[in-house]
């Protein structure tokens, strides 16, 4: 975990929202522990990332709001006191990209922070793939299926995933990282993507996946 992190010079999407354009402001973003800091921290004491011209965007997974017990409407806001979970992406990122399906090419990913931990920097992972714990019975692993859309995603202990889509095995394969209720994917074809577990359901790229294989 990064104890103190400062993102400077970026445009921060503080509250992208589900459908609105949200608020985009040029400012520094400070992280202490797992949260966005309420107070500005000394750059001398922080891990500093110069993100001039980049966008800091929340990892919004919009299908979680379809759950009978959705998260709070402002759960993804990038504001002081909120969880430090965001991506720093080169250039401008639209509200539609944030709210529908954020996919980032490695050359465009300045940094990825999940609960204050720097998962990726300059497009490259910063720790081994897999889970954030050593429990081989981790319930986040195994097969996850969206029967409605004929997709099963298999997450294995070695930090690899493979997807079966409409009967086509290994339609997508790659590495994944688990941090709490968040999952980060780096596909073998070369893009980063994101998902979230909510009340025992895995949400990713419009898919709503439940434990187990298709019947």
């Amino acid at each position: 975990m990064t104890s103190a992190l400062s993102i400077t010079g970026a445009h921060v999407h503080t509250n992208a929202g589900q459908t609105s354009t949200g608020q985009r402001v040029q400012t520094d973003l400070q992280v202490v522990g797992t949260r966005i800091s309420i107070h500005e921290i000394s750059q001398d004491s922080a891990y500093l990332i110069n993100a001039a011209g980049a966008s800091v965007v929340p990892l919004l997974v919009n299908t979680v709001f379809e759950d009978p017990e959705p998260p709070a409407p402002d759960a993804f806001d990038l504001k002081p006191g909120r969880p430090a979970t965001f991506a720093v992406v080169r250039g401008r990122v639209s509200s539609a990209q944030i709210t529908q399906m954020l996919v980032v090419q490695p050359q465009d990913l300045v940094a990825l922070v999940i609960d204050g931990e720097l998962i990726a920097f300059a497009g490259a992972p910063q720790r081994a793939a897999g889970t954030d714990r050593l429990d081989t019975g981790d319930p986040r692993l195994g097969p996850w299926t969206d029967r409605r859309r004929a997709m099963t995603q298999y997450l294995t202990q070695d930090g690899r995933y493979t997807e079966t889509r409409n009967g086509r095995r290994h339609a997508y394969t790659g590495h994944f990282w688990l941090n709490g209720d968040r999952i980060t994917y780096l596909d073998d074809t070369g893009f980063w993507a994101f998902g979230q577990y909510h009340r025992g359901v895995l949400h990713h790229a419009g898919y709503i996946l439940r434990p187990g294989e298709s019947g």
Side-chain angles (χ1 to χ4, degrees), residues 112-192:
L112 173 66
V113 177
I114 307 288
D115 288 336
E117 181 179 348
L118 188 64
I119 303 299
F121 179 68
Q126 297 299 290
R127 70 165 171 88
T131 71
D132 53 1
R133 55 198 243 198
L134 300 176
D135 182 6
T136 57
D138 191 326
R140 297 170 297 177
L141 299 176
W144 292 81
T145 298
D146 185 336
R147 292 176 175 82
R148 182 181 56 110
R149 298 181 63 185
M151 193 272 258
T152 299
Q153 184 177 96
Y154 301 87
L155 306 174
T156 55
Q157 184 69 30
D158 60 357
R160 294 282 299 173
Y161 72 87
T162 181
E163 292 182 359
T164 297
R165 297 196 181 196
N166 296 311
R168 183 164 65 96
R169 298 183 63 189
H170 310 306
Y172 288 91
T173 61
H175 290 90
F176 70 87
W177 288 258
L178 291 176
N179 290 76
D181 67 348
R182 295 294 185 145
I183 182 167
T184 303
Y185 307 90
L186 176 56
D187 196 77
D188 287 339
T189 60
F191 64 84
W192 291 87

Side-chain angles (χ1 to χ4, degrees), residues 100-114:
Q100 294 173 19
M101 184 177 69
L102 183 66
V103 172
V104 185
Q105 298 300 315
Q107 66 269 22
D108 294 327
L109 184 63
V110 178
L112 173 66
V113 177
I114 307 288

Side-chain angles (χ1 to χ4, degrees), residues 18 61-73 75-76 181 196-201 203 208 210:
Q18 292 190 72
V61 185
N62 60 348
T63 54
V64 302
F65 292 103
E66 300 172 10
D67 189 88
E69 296 181 26
F76 297 92
D181 67 348
Q196 182 178 4
Y197 296 87
H198 180 69
R199 293 191 343 113
V201 177
H203 298 262
I208 300 173
R210 292 177 169 80

